[in-house]
Every structure is written in structure tokens, then in C-alpha cells.
Amino acid sequence: MSTTFPDGFLWGGGTAANQLEGAYDAGGKGPSIQDVMPRGIAAPPTDEPTPDNLKLVGIDHYHRYAEDIALFAEMGFTVYRFSIAWSRIFPNGDEETPNEEGLAFYDRLLDELEKHGIEPLVTISHYETPLHLAKTYNGWVDRRMIGFYERYARTLFERFGSRVKYWLTFNEINSVLHAPLMSGGIWTPKEQLSEADLYQAIHHELVASASATKIAKEINPAIQVGCMILAMPIYPLTPDPADVLKVMQADHGNLAFSDVHVRGAYPGYFLRTLRDKGIELDITDADRETLTNTVDFVSFSYYMSICEAASGGEVGQGNIMGGIKNPKLPASEWGWQIDPVGLRIVLNQFWDRWGKPLFIVENGLGAKDELVEVDGVPTVEDDYRIAYLNDHLVQVREAIADGVELMGYTWWGPIDVVSASTAQMSKRYGFVYVDRNDDGSGTLARYRKKSFGWYRELIASNGATLS
Ligand code: BG6
């Protein structure tokens, strides 16, 4: 058996606080935007948290984290990506001092990871802006958000910076273009939001991200900070140069964020977009200086690819941004088109473009699972998930052979969590099944799926068991 995965390659899984912790008002936590998004991005938010919002209980990880981390350890994880709920640390977001109970929870979680020798990878902000910041300041549209985020990030680096080496500033920062509330805490409904406000919000997030990188290094130079984008290779629907040009422009929309994170300045094509739209951003000299604090590595999520065309084409379902359907590819039960080769393509594209170490921090298949009994033990025979994982990792192996420098791979939702886009429980990604249903019923018991053992063997062999 041979493997091209380097020694020390980090294997594991990733989650986000709002999708699994539950305990939405425990330990002094304030409400976050997710507590009023019972349908994810599929419907407008509610005024108050409502009992039909599955995220209020999640999978009760807040109380069961030790059991869950033990399951990750059993699979042999060497890394675990999780996010810190901003409103556990600053319940409203604009306080001067943090909530000690919130910080103490993450100390306990880190203790558990250390016990099992699992490296933490922490997302500072994963779609869970404190609700107060969204309602009072309109989220990232307001420049004051930079200061609130800096205080939050500083608090985390001071408290956990000696225990956590790898940090991500914002989850899928480029998704703010498509999901302004979930990604940018922007309370104005998308259809009423001006492009000028949206681009100003993007600028504030980029400055805050760069500022956090600077603060991290001042506190502990050993800290490694990464950016995180939603990666989606875009193919021209036809060889028509007009379609290819459209692809280039769509790529610019997605990649501008990491161009700034990696290069420390806005690319020319981005400035042209602003000029064409007649937008004059408020960018200070101090902002420009801050942006020069560039990231150490680039991380991304990868679920699917899409097509683009200058005109026409059947629009398909997709991860937050969507696009035109590719007639050559199959799709998941939620219409996300499955494209393992696309992962090799983005890995090469990103490595060629930025020359920074890469980290795949999300990849996975949301599917309906059926709980069955095998030898009297509840399980799920999820061969479809194993096939998805195998086929994607074969392409990762190819990309490494192509010369791409890759730090690690964290499967999305190694334990079933509430979906971000639809807020369903039935859209499951896990290697561990959680007994909870869309109507909120269920015991919350955890069961190992067939993929659990498959992933354990894969990690133990450092990728050599791929077929
Ligand atoms: C990513 C998000 O876009 O996709 C995760 O970072 C999310 O939070 C994941 O859960 C899968 O999407 P969904 O909508 O199926 O949960």
C-alpha cells in the first residue's frame, strides 16, 4: 500500500457552534442571529427565538462534548475544527468585558481535546453574529463592528492563544455576497440592501480579519492564522468565449476576498467593479495599512461545482451561491452537484494563485440516513457517504502529487448537526448518527454509522486505504 499524504497530515472533522452546541441561553450566552433563523436562509428571520428552531437545542453538544470528542478520538482524529459562539463570550457583542462562563466552556472543551491529543482549529466567527450587533448596528455595514470583533478576537487569543495554534477569522467570508444576514449579520433584508452597503460591509470584514491576524501575532508569534472561503469551481457551460469571460468574472467575485487576505491589497479587477457600480468605499489609510497583515494559510470549504454562461442555462441548487446546472454531474438529494475532480482543480488553482499552504476545512455529503439494526446495534449503512469521501480524497491525493501543499482535511459535520442553509436535522453529514428529527423529537443518542469505521481505517493508514 502506498500513500502520498505527507507525514503529519492533519485528519479530522469540523463543526460550528450554532449548529451543534444548543444551550442557546445557558451560561450567560446572548442570542445570536441563528437563534432567530429557524429556516436557515430559506426564510426571513423571526423576531424572537421560536421553539421550532432546532439550533436552540442543536445536538446538545454543550453538555455532551466529552462524549462527542471521545468518538472523534476513536476515529483517530488528529485535528478538530470548531467555532466559538461570539455571543457566549460577548452576549451582546458590544460589551467591554467578556462573559467568564462562556470562556470557561471552551477551556473545558480544549482540555478534552488535549486529553486525546487532538489539535484544535478554531473559527472565530462562523455565521453566529450576536443578534444585538445585527439589529442595532446592521452588522458589518457599520464600521464599529471592526472594534467589537477586535476585542472579541483579542480576548480569544489572550485566553487560548497558548493552547490553539490554528485560527480562522471568518467562515466562508465570500458568502456575504449571497447571504448577507447569515454571513455578515446584516439585518436589512437582502432585496433592500444597497450594493454600496454590502461592499462597505465586505471592506470592514476584511480589515477586521487582517487586524485579528496582527493581534494574534503580537500575542503569540507561533499562532497561524488562515482565511476561509467557500470554494466552488465554475465551468463555462459552452466553449463560447462569452461564457469563459463570465466564468472569469464570477471567479473574481469569489476569489477577491482571499486575494486581499493573501496579498494585502485590493486587486485591480475589484476596484474596477466598484468603479463600474459607481461605489466609493470609505477606505482609510489606516485600513490600507492594516490590510497588509496577510494570512499564513488559505482554508476553504468544497462541496460542489457549478457552470456559468453569458445567457441561458438551467439554474440548479447549490451551497449558498448556486449556479447553472452541469449536465455531466450527478447531484445529492438536496441538488448539490457531486464533483470530486473539481476538488483537485480548486486545490491546484489556489496553490498556483496564492502559493500558500492550503487546508480543506469542509467537504461532505448531506444525505437522508436510515437507522437500521445490525447484530442488534443501531447503525446506518451509508455506503453513499463512503463513496463520496473516497472519491474526493482520491482527488486530494492527486492534487498532492501535483505538488499542492496541503495541511489537512476536516470532513464537515463528523457528527450529525443542524443544517446551516435549511436548518434541518434530516440533512445529515455525520459518521455518527444523532437521534434527533426535524420535528425536534428524538433521544439525542449517538450511534456509529458504517462510515465511522471506514474513516477510522483511512486515518490509521494515512490515506493508504483509499480505493
Ligand atoms: C458550509 C457552512 O457552507 O456548508 C456550514 O460553512 C454548513 O456551516 C455546510 O453546514 C453545509 O451546508 P448545509 O446547509 O447543508 O448545512
mmCIF file of all heavy atoms in Angstrom, residues 14-16 18-19 34 41 81 126-127 171-172 175 182 228 230 301-303 318-320 334 336 361-367 412-413 417-424 427-429, ligand 1:
data_model
loop_
_atom_site.group_PDB
_atom_site.id
_atom_site.type_symbol
_atom_site.label_atom_id
_atom_site.label_comp_id
_atom_site.label_asym_id
_atom_site.label_seq_id
_atom_site.Cartn_x
_atom_site.Cartn_y
_atom_site.Cartn_z
ATOM 1 N N GLY A 14 -15.020 18.930 11.163
ATOM 2 C CA GLY A 14 -15.276 20.307 11.583
ATOM 3 C C GLY A 14 -16.754 20.564 11.843
ATOM 4 O O GLY A 14 -17.629 19.934 11.237
ATOM 5 N N THR A 15 -17.012 21.506 12.740
ATOM 6 C CA THR A 15 -18.388 21.870 13.108
ATOM 7 C C THR A 15 -18.455 23.379 13.355
ATOM 8 O O THR A 15 -17.443 24.068 13.320
ATOM 9 C CB THR A 15 -18.815 21.166 14.417
ATOM 10 O OG1 THR A 15 -17.937 21.604 15.464
ATOM 11 C CG2 THR A 15 -18.780 19.653 14.292
ATOM 12 N N ALA A 16 -19.668 23.857 13.623
ATOM 13 C CA ALA A 16 -19.853 25.255 14.025
ATOM 14 C C ALA A 16 -20.748 25.281 15.253
ATOM 15 O O ALA A 16 -21.730 24.525 15.330
ATOM 16 C CB ALA A 16 -20.498 26.044 12.897
ATOM 17 N N ASN A 18 -23.115 27.109 16.444
ATOM 18 C CA ASN A 18 -24.572 27.296 16.376
ATOM 19 C C ASN A 18 -25.288 26.067 15.840
ATOM 20 O O ASN A 18 -26.488 25.938 16.000
ATOM 21 C CB ASN A 18 -24.901 28.537 15.551
ATOM 22 C CG ASN A 18 -24.644 28.328 14.076
ATOM 23 O OD1 ASN A 18 -25.489 27.802 13.367
ATOM 24 N ND2 ASN A 18 -23.467 28.711 13.604
ATOM 25 N N GLN A 19 -24.579 25.166 15.193
ATOM 26 C CA GLN A 19 -25.225 24.009 14.587
ATOM 27 C C GLN A 19 -25.198 22.774 15.476
ATOM 28 O O GLN A 19 -25.839 21.783 15.154
ATOM 29 C CB GLN A 19 -24.589 23.713 13.226
ATOM 30 C CG GLN A 19 -24.876 24.808 12.199
ATOM 31 C CD GLN A 19 -24.132 24.624 10.897
ATOM 32 O OE1 GLN A 19 -23.193 25.356 10.602
ATOM 33 N NE2 GLN A 19 -24.537 23.648 10.102
ATOM 34 N N GLN A 34 -28.537 33.245 14.621
ATOM 35 C CA GLN A 34 -29.021 31.886 14.326
ATOM 36 C C GLN A 34 -30.227 31.514 15.184
ATOM 37 O O GLN A 34 -31.032 30.685 14.780
ATOM 38 C CB GLN A 34 -27.903 30.859 14.553
ATOM 39 C CG GLN A 34 -26.790 30.954 13.543
ATOM 40 C CD GLN A 34 -27.224 30.529 12.146
ATOM 41 O OE1 GLN A 34 -28.253 29.883 11.958
ATOM 42 N NE2 GLN A 34 -26.444 30.905 11.152
ATOM 43 N N ILE A 41 -31.409 29.941 5.711
ATOM 44 C CA ILE A 41 -31.507 31.081 4.774
ATOM 45 C C ILE A 41 -32.731 30.933 3.883
ATOM 46 O O ILE A 41 -32.940 31.724 2.960
ATOM 47 C CB ILE A 41 -30.229 31.245 3.915
ATOM 48 C CG1 ILE A 41 -29.872 29.935 3.181
ATOM 49 C CG2 ILE A 41 -29.076 31.710 4.754
ATOM 50 C CD1 ILE A 41 -28.716 30.090 2.210
ATOM 51 N N ARG A 81 -11.924 20.903 14.018
ATOM 52 C CA ARG A 81 -12.281 22.314 13.777
ATOM 53 C C ARG A 81 -13.617 22.599 14.448
ATOM 54 O O ARG A 81 -14.592 21.884 14.227
ATOM 55 C CB ARG A 81 -12.390 22.572 12.266
ATOM 56 C CG ARG A 81 -12.933 23.955 11.961
ATOM 57 C CD ARG A 81 -13.152 24.189 10.466
ATOM 58 N NE ARG A 81 -13.690 25.507 10.272
ATOM 59 C CZ ARG A 81 -14.711 25.802 9.447
ATOM 60 N NH1 ARG A 81 -15.282 24.863 8.714
ATOM 61 N NH2 ARG A 81 -15.156 27.036 9.354
ATOM 62 N N HIS A 126 -18.339 32.056 12.852
ATOM 63 C CA HIS A 126 -18.955 31.123 11.893
ATOM 64 C C HIS A 126 -20.467 31.359 11.893
ATOM 65 O O HIS A 126 -21.218 30.677 12.583
ATOM 66 C CB HIS A 126 -18.628 29.677 12.268
ATOM 67 C CG HIS A 126 -19.028 28.672 11.220
ATOM 68 N ND1 HIS A 126 -18.202 27.633 10.835
ATOM 69 C CD2 HIS A 126 -20.152 28.523 10.476
ATOM 70 C CE1 HIS A 126 -18.810 26.903 9.904
ATOM 71 N NE2 HIS A 126 -20.001 27.423 9.672
ATOM 72 N N TYR A 127 -20.916 32.344 11.161
ATOM 73 C CA TYR A 127 -22.345 32.564 10.929
ATOM 74 C C TYR A 127 -23.140 32.784 12.213
ATOM 75 O O TYR A 127 -24.313 32.427 12.286
ATOM 76 C CB TYR A 127 -22.950 31.375 10.163
ATOM 77 C CG TYR A 127 -22.438 31.193 8.761
ATOM 78 C CD1 TYR A 127 -22.617 29.990 8.081
ATOM 79 C CD2 TYR A 127 -21.795 32.224 8.088
ATOM 80 C CE1 TYR A 127 -22.167 29.822 6.767
ATOM 81 C CE2 TYR A 127 -21.335 32.054 6.781
ATOM 82 C CZ TYR A 127 -21.533 30.857 6.133
ATOM 83 O OH TYR A 127 -21.090 30.689 4.838
ATOM 84 N N ASN A 171 -15.754 32.323 8.795
ATOM 85 C CA ASN A 171 -16.171 31.215 7.953
ATOM 86 C C ASN A 171 -16.684 31.737 6.607
ATOM 87 O O ASN A 171 -17.506 32.667 6.563
ATOM 88 C CB ASN A 171 -17.306 30.442 8.631
ATOM 89 C CG ASN A 171 -17.739 29.241 7.809
ATOM 90 O OD1 ASN A 171 -16.959 28.308 7.616
ATOM 91 N ND2 ASN A 171 -18.977 29.255 7.323
ATOM 92 N N GLU A 172 -16.199 31.163 5.517
ATOM 93 C CA GLU A 172 -16.713 31.457 4.172
ATOM 94 C C GLU A 172 -17.010 32.948 3.989
ATOM 95 O O GLU A 172 -18.140 33.350 3.684
ATOM 96 C CB GLU A 172 -17.982 30.643 3.901
ATOM 97 C CG GLU A 172 -17.732 29.149 3.916
ATOM 98 C CD GLU A 172 -18.933 28.299 3.544
ATOM 99 O OE1 GLU A 172 -20.075 28.749 3.731
ATOM 100 O OE2 GLU A 172 -18.727 27.180 3.081
ATOM 101 N N SER A 175 -19.199 34.403 1.257
ATOM 102 C CA SER A 175 -20.639 34.126 1.154
ATOM 103 C C SER A 175 -21.480 35.342 1.521
ATOM 104 O O SER A 175 -22.693 35.349 1.293
ATOM 105 C CB SER A 175 -21.018 32.939 2.045
ATOM 106 O OG SER A 175 -20.820 33.278 3.401
ATOM 107 N N MET A 182 -26.798 35.842 7.309
ATOM 108 C CA MET A 182 -26.083 34.732 7.945
ATOM 109 C C MET A 182 -24.581 35.002 7.981
ATOM 110 O O MET A 182 -23.913 34.755 8.971
ATOM 111 C CB MET A 182 -26.361 33.421 7.204
ATOM 112 C CG MET A 182 -25.771 32.217 7.904
ATOM 113 S SD MET A 182 -26.459 30.652 7.332
ATOM 114 C CE MET A 182 -25.553 30.400 5.821
ATOM 115 N N MET A 228 -10.763 31.827 5.222
ATOM 116 C CA MET A 228 -11.613 30.683 4.872
ATOM 117 C C MET A 228 -12.643 31.153 3.856
ATOM 118 O O MET A 228 -13.377 32.095 4.113
ATOM 119 C CB MET A 228 -12.283 30.183 6.155
ATOM 120 C CG MET A 228 -12.909 28.816 6.127
ATOM 121 S SD MET A 228 -14.224 28.564 4.938
ATOM 122 C CE MET A 228 -15.059 27.160 5.560
ATOM 123 N N LEU A 230 -15.610 29.983 0.700
ATOM 124 C CA LEU A 230 -16.463 28.974 0.060
ATOM 125 C C LEU A 230 -15.891 28.785 -1.348
ATOM 126 O O LEU A 230 -15.918 29.701 -2.158
ATOM 127 C CB LEU A 230 -17.894 29.498 0.017
ATOM 128 C CG LEU A 230 -19.028 28.588 -0.415
ATOM 129 C CD1 LEU A 230 -20.357 29.203 0.011
ATOM 130 C CD2 LEU A 230 -19.052 28.327 -1.902
ATOM 131 N N SER A 301 -14.014 25.616 2.071
ATOM 132 C CA SER A 301 -14.987 24.530 2.023
ATOM 133 C C SER A 301 -15.155 24.131 0.569
ATOM 134 O O SER A 301 -15.036 24.965 -0.332
ATOM 135 C CB SER A 301 -16.328 24.989 2.591
ATOM 136 O OG SER A 301 -16.874 26.027 1.788
ATOM 137 N N TYR A 302 -15.418 22.857 0.364
ATOM 138 C CA TYR A 302 -15.679 22.394 -1.004
ATOM 139 C C TYR A 302 -16.775 21.330 -0.984
ATOM 140 O O TYR A 302 -16.612 20.277 -0.361
ATOM 141 C CB TYR A 302 -14.422 21.803 -1.662
ATOM 142 C CG TYR A 302 -14.764 21.257 -3.036
ATOM 143 C CD1 TYR A 302 -14.902 22.110 -4.125
ATOM 144 C CD2 TYR A 302 -15.041 19.904 -3.232
ATOM 145 C CE1 TYR A 302 -15.300 21.640 -5.372
ATOM 146 C CE2 TYR A 302 -15.429 19.413 -4.475
ATOM 147 C CZ TYR A 302 -15.556 20.292 -5.545
ATOM 148 O OH TYR A 302 -15.957 19.839 -6.773
ATOM 149 N N TYR A 303 -17.861 21.615 -1.655
ATOM 150 C CA TYR A 303 -18.953 20.639 -1.752
ATOM 151 C C TYR A 303 -19.297 20.315 -3.197
ATOM 152 O O TYR A 303 -19.770 19.218 -3.489
ATOM 153 C CB TYR A 303 -20.219 21.183 -1.068
ATOM 154 C CG TYR A 303 -20.061 21.331 0.418
ATOM 155 C CD1 TYR A 303 -19.585 22.519 0.969
ATOM 156 C CD2 TYR A 303 -20.363 20.281 1.274
ATOM 157 C CE1 TYR A 303 -19.415 22.651 2.341
ATOM 158 C CE2 TYR A 303 -20.205 20.402 2.644
ATOM 159 C CZ TYR A 303 -19.721 21.593 3.173
ATOM 160 O OH TYR A 303 -19.547 21.715 4.527
ATOM 161 N N GLY A 318 -27.662 24.974 -4.847
ATOM 162 C CA GLY A 318 -26.251 24.966 -4.503
ATOM 163 C C GLY A 318 -25.975 25.481 -3.123
ATOM 164 O O GLY A 318 -26.854 26.025 -2.458
ATOM 165 N N ASN A 319 -24.729 25.279 -2.683
ATOM 166 C CA ASN A 319 -24.312 25.730 -1.369
ATOM 167 C C ASN A 319 -24.253 27.254 -1.336
ATOM 168 O O ASN A 319 -23.286 27.857 -1.754
ATOM 169 C CB ASN A 319 -22.946 25.134 -1.025
ATOM 170 C CG ASN A 319 -22.512 25.527 0.370
ATOM 171 O OD1 ASN A 319 -23.317 25.967 1.179
ATOM 172 N ND2 ASN A 319 -21.228 25.380 0.667
ATOM 173 N N ILE A 320 -25.278 27.877 -0.836
ATOM 174 C CA ILE A 320 -25.415 29.323 -0.637
ATOM 175 C C ILE A 320 -25.417 30.112 -1.948
ATOM 176 O O ILE A 320 -26.317 30.890 -2.202
ATOM 177 C CB ILE A 320 -24.353 29.876 0.343
ATOM 178 C CG1 ILE A 320 -24.532 29.165 1.705
ATOM 179 C CG2 ILE A 320 -24.457 31.387 0.514
ATOM 180 C CD1 ILE A 320 -23.495 29.505 2.738
ATOM 181 N N TRP A 334 -30.251 17.028 -2.114
ATOM 182 C CA TRP A 334 -30.561 18.461 -2.000
ATOM 183 C C TRP A 334 -30.118 19.230 -3.247
ATOM 184 O O TRP A 334 -30.035 20.440 -3.249
ATOM 185 C CB TRP A 334 -29.933 19.048 -0.728
ATOM 186 C CG TRP A 334 -30.837 18.878 0.459
ATOM 187 C CD1 TRP A 334 -31.717 19.794 0.951
ATOM 188 C CD2 TRP A 334 -30.982 17.714 1.277
ATOM 189 N NE1 TRP A 334 -32.389 19.265 2.020
ATOM 190 C CE2 TRP A 334 -31.968 18.002 2.248
ATOM 191 C CE3 TRP A 334 -30.393 16.453 1.293
ATOM 192 C CZ2 TRP A 334 -32.369 17.076 3.226
ATOM 193 C CZ3 TRP A 334 -30.786 15.534 2.252
ATOM 194 C CH2 TRP A 334 -31.763 15.849 3.196
ATOM 195 N N TRP A 336 -27.194 19.413 -4.746
ATOM 196 C CA TRP A 336 -25.814 19.891 -4.860
ATOM 197 C C TRP A 336 -25.064 18.916 -5.762
ATOM 198 O O TRP A 336 -25.039 17.709 -5.491
ATOM 199 C CB TRP A 336 -25.134 19.956 -3.482
ATOM 200 C CG TRP A 336 -25.746 20.943 -2.528
ATOM 201 C CD1 TRP A 336 -26.988 21.522 -2.604
ATOM 202 C CD2 TRP A 336 -25.152 21.456 -1.329
ATOM 203 N NE1 TRP A 336 -27.192 22.364 -1.548
ATOM 204 C CE2 TRP A 336 -26.079 22.335 -0.738
ATOM 205 C CE3 TRP A 336 -23.918 21.261 -0.697
ATOM 206 C CZ2 TRP A 336 -25.820 23.023 0.457
ATOM 207 C CZ3 TRP A 336 -23.656 21.936 0.494
ATOM 208 C CH2 TRP A 336 -24.588 22.817 1.054
ATOM 209 N N VAL A 361 -11.140 22.628 4.974
ATOM 210 C CA VAL A 361 -11.765 22.598 6.296
ATOM 211 C C VAL A 361 -13.243 22.213 6.243
ATOM 212 O O VAL A 361 -13.887 22.135 7.297
ATOM 213 C CB VAL A 361 -11.559 23.920 7.072
ATOM 214 C CG1 VAL A 361 -10.071 24.125 7.371
ATOM 215 C CG2 VAL A 361 -12.125 25.104 6.331
ATOM 216 N N GLU A 362 -13.768 21.992 5.037
ATOM 217 C CA GLU A 362 -15.125 21.443 4.905
ATOM 218 C C GLU A 362 -15.226 20.706 3.589
ATOM 219 O O GLU A 362 -14.781 21.201 2.556
ATOM 220 C CB GLU A 362 -16.192 22.542 4.900
ATOM 221 C CG GLU A 362 -16.441 23.198 6.219
ATOM 222 C CD GLU A 362 -17.635 24.147 6.193
ATOM 223 O OE1 GLU A 362 -18.595 23.883 5.444
ATOM 224 O OE2 GLU A 362 -17.584 25.148 6.920
ATOM 225 N N ASN A 363 -15.850 19.539 3.660
ATOM 226 C CA ASN A 363 -16.182 18.753 2.473
ATOM 227 C C ASN A 363 -17.126 17.690 3.014
ATOM 228 O O ASN A 363 -16.920 17.175 4.103
ATOM 229 C CB ASN A 363 -14.883 18.114 1.903
ATOM 230 C CG ASN A 363 -15.143 17.181 0.724
ATOM 231 O OD1 ASN A 363 -14.636 16.062 0.669
ATOM 232 N ND2 ASN A 363 -15.903 17.631 -0.229
ATOM 233 N N GLY A 364 -18.197 17.405 2.273
ATOM 234 C CA GLY A 364 -19.104 16.403 2.829
ATOM 235 C C GLY A 364 -20.360 16.244 2.010
ATOM 236 O O GLY A 364 -20.614 16.990 1.059
ATOM 237 N N LEU A 365 -21.126 15.248 2.394
ATOM 238 C CA LEU A 365 -22.373 14.926 1.697
ATOM 239 C C LEU A 365 -23.536 14.968 2.687
ATOM 240 O O LEU A 365 -23.555 14.200 3.653
ATOM 241 C CB LEU A 365 -22.276 13.515 1.098
ATOM 242 C CG LEU A 365 -23.556 13.017 0.408
ATOM 243 C CD1 LEU A 365 -23.812 13.785 -0.888
ATOM 244 C CD2 LEU A 365 -23.463 11.521 0.117
ATOM 245 N N GLY A 366 -24.483 15.866 2.433
ATOM 246 C CA GLY A 366 -25.706 15.893 3.232
ATOM 247 C C GLY A 366 -26.685 14.899 2.626
ATOM 248 O O GLY A 366 -27.024 15.008 1.455
ATOM 249 N N ALA A 367 -27.121 13.933 3.421
ATOM 250 C CA ALA A 367 -27.994 12.878 2.885
ATOM 251 C C ALA A 367 -28.999 12.445 3.943
ATOM 252 O O ALA A 367 -28.786 12.651 5.148
ATOM 253 C CB ALA A 367 -27.148 11.679 2.457
ATOM 254 N N TRP A 412 -16.853 17.866 6.887
ATOM 255 C CA TRP A 412 -17.874 18.682 7.535
ATOM 256 C C TRP A 412 -18.839 17.810 8.345
ATOM 257 O O TRP A 412 -19.342 16.804 7.846
ATOM 258 C CB TRP A 412 -18.688 19.508 6.522
ATOM 259 C CG TRP A 412 -19.813 20.194 7.263
ATOM 260 C CD1 TRP A 412 -21.144 19.873 7.243
ATOM 261 C CD2 TRP A 412 -19.674 21.246 8.226
ATOM 262 N NE1 TRP A 412 -21.836 20.690 8.124
ATOM 263 C CE2 TRP A 412 -20.957 21.525 8.741
ATOM 264 C CE3 TRP A 412 -18.576 21.972 8.722
ATOM 265 C CZ2 TRP A 412 -21.183 22.511 9.717
ATOM 266 C CZ3 TRP A 412 -18.803 22.948 9.683
ATOM 267 C CH2 TRP A 412 -20.096 23.212 10.168
ATOM 268 N N GLY A 413 -19.081 18.216 9.577
ATOM 269 C CA GLY A 413 -20.098 17.564 10.396
ATOM 270 C C GLY A 413 -19.827 16.088 10.612
ATOM 271 O O GLY A 413 -20.615 15.248 10.185
ATOM 272 N N VAL A 417 -25.308 17.348 12.570
ATOM 273 C CA VAL A 417 -25.609 18.655 13.163
ATOM 274 C C VAL A 417 -26.798 19.258 12.410
ATOM 275 O O VAL A 417 -27.222 18.725 11.385
ATOM 276 C CB VAL A 417 -24.388 19.609 13.095
ATOM 277 C CG1 VAL A 417 -23.202 19.039 13.861
ATOM 278 C CG2 VAL A 417 -23.985 19.913 11.646
ATOM 279 N N VAL A 418 -27.287 20.376 12.878
ATOM 280 C CA VAL A 418 -28.387 21.054 12.190
ATOM 281 C C VAL A 418 -27.815 21.753 10.946
ATOM 282 O O VAL A 418 -26.757 22.384 11.016
ATOM 283 C CB VAL A 418 -29.056 22.099 13.124
ATOM 284 C CG1 VAL A 418 -30.231 22.774 12.407
ATOM 285 C CG2 VAL A 418 -29.501 21.449 14.428
ATOM 286 N N SER A 419 -28.524 21.629 9.832
ATOM 287 C CA SER A 419 -28.025 22.233 8.581
ATOM 288 C C SER A 419 -28.018 23.769 8.673
ATOM 289 O O SER A 419 -28.910 24.374 9.261
ATOM 290 C CB SER A 419 -28.912 21.775 7.417
ATOM 291 O OG SER A 419 -28.973 22.752 6.415
ATOM 292 N N ALA A 420 -27.014 24.369 8.056
ATOM 293 C CA ALA A 420 -26.937 25.839 8.058
ATOM 294 C C ALA A 420 -27.956 26.441 7.090
ATOM 295 O O ALA A 420 -28.660 27.387 7.425
ATOM 296 C CB ALA A 420 -25.537 26.300 7.686
ATOM 297 N N SER A 421 -28.051 25.888 5.895
ATOM 298 C CA SER A 421 -28.895 26.548 4.891
ATOM 299 C C SER A 421 -30.376 26.280 5.112
ATOM 300 O O SER A 421 -31.200 27.156 4.894
ATOM 301 C CB SER A 421 -28.490 26.123 3.477
ATOM 302 O OG SER A 421 -28.614 24.731 3.315
ATOM 303 N N THR A 422 -30.727 25.063 5.560
ATOM 304 C CA THR A 422 -32.148 24.725 5.680
ATOM 305 C C THR A 422 -32.607 24.545 7.125
ATOM 306 O O THR A 422 -33.800 24.373 7.365
ATOM 307 C CB THR A 422 -32.463 23.420 4.921
ATOM 308 O OG1 THR A 422 -31.780 22.339 5.569
ATOM 309 C CG2 THR A 422 -32.019 23.483 3.464
ATOM 310 N N ALA A 423 -31.669 24.517 8.065
ATOM 311 C CA ALA A 423 -31.963 24.325 9.494
ATOM 312 C C ALA A 423 -32.647 22.976 9.770
ATOM 313 O O ALA A 423 -33.329 22.826 10.770
ATOM 314 C CB ALA A 423 -32.794 25.482 10.053
ATOM 315 N N GLN A 424 -32.420 22.010 8.886
ATOM 316 C CA GLN A 424 -32.985 20.668 9.098
ATOM 317 C C GLN A 424 -31.986 19.779 9.840
ATOM 318 O O GLN A 424 -30.780 19.957 9.717
ATOM 319 C CB GLN A 424 -33.259 19.994 7.741
ATOM 320 C CG GLN A 424 -34.349 20.627 6.923
ATOM 321 C CD GLN A 424 -34.324 20.076 5.501
ATOM 322 O OE1 GLN A 424 -33.337 20.222 4.786
ATOM 323 N NE2 GLN A 424 -35.404 19.434 5.095
ATOM 324 N N LYS A 427 -30.831 16.565 7.066
ATOM 325 C CA LYS A 427 -29.729 16.696 6.107
ATOM 326 C C LYS A 427 -28.445 16.350 6.865
ATOM 327 O O LYS A 427 -27.793 17.200 7.461
ATOM 328 C CB LYS A 427 -29.680 18.126 5.554
ATOM 329 C CG LYS A 427 -28.779 18.261 4.354
ATOM 330 C CD LYS A 427 -28.796 19.675 3.793
ATOM 331 C CE LYS A 427 -28.005 19.715 2.487
ATOM 332 N NZ LYS A 427 -27.690 21.075 2.064
ATOM 333 N N ARG A 428 -28.109 15.070 6.831
ATOM 334 C CA ARG A 428 -27.059 14.570 7.732
ATOM 335 C C ARG A 428 -25.728 14.385 7.012
ATOM 336 O O ARG A 428 -25.696 13.895 5.896
ATOM 337 C CB ARG A 428 -27.495 13.224 8.326
ATOM 338 C CG ARG A 428 -28.760 13.326 9.158
ATOM 339 C CD ARG A 428 -29.231 11.943 9.618
ATOM 340 N NE ARG A 428 -30.487 12.061 10.356
ATOM 341 C CZ ARG A 428 -30.573 12.299 11.652
ATOM 342 N NH1 ARG A 428 -29.469 12.416 12.373
ATOM 343 N NH2 ARG A 428 -31.746 12.408 12.237
ATOM 344 N N TYR A 429 -24.646 14.759 7.691
ATOM 345 C CA TYR A 429 -23.296 14.601 7.141
ATOM 346 C C TYR A 429 -22.456 13.609 7.949
ATOM 347 O O TYR A 429 -21.390 13.198 7.522
ATOM 348 C CB TYR A 429 -22.558 15.949 7.163
ATOM 349 C CG TYR A 429 -23.076 16.970 6.175
ATOM 350 C CD1 TYR A 429 -24.211 17.728 6.436
ATOM 351 C CD2 TYR A 429 -22.437 17.174 4.958
ATOM 352 C CE1 TYR A 429 -24.684 18.668 5.530
ATOM 353 C CE2 TYR A 429 -22.898 18.105 4.043
ATOM 354 C CZ TYR A 429 -24.025 18.848 4.332
ATOM 355 O OH TYR A 429 -24.491 19.771 3.423
HETATM 356 C C1 BG6 B 1 -20.966 25.451 4.669
HETATM 357 C C2 BG6 B 1 -21.085 26.067 6.045
HETATM 358 O O1 BG6 B 1 -21.300 26.373 3.705
HETATM 359 O O2 BG6 B 1 -21.770 24.367 4.372
HETATM 360 C C3 BG6 B 1 -21.572 25.116 7.123
HETATM 361 O O3 BG6 B 1 -19.867 26.628 6.427
HETATM 362 C C4 BG6 B 1 -22.679 24.271 6.557
HETATM 363 O O4 BG6 B 1 -21.947 25.860 8.238
HETATM 364 C C5 BG6 B 1 -22.140 23.468 5.398
HETATM 365 O O5 BG6 B 1 -23.297 23.451 7.489
HETATM 366 C C6 BG6 B 1 -23.136 22.504 4.802
HETATM 367 O O6 BG6 B 1 -24.270 23.209 4.435
HETATM 368 P P1 BG6 B 1 -25.726 22.812 4.932
HETATM 369 O O7 BG6 B 1 -26.567 23.930 4.509
HETATM 370 O O8 BG6 B 1 -26.034 21.534 4.244
HETATM 371 O O9 BG6 B 1 -25.643 22.658 6.410
#
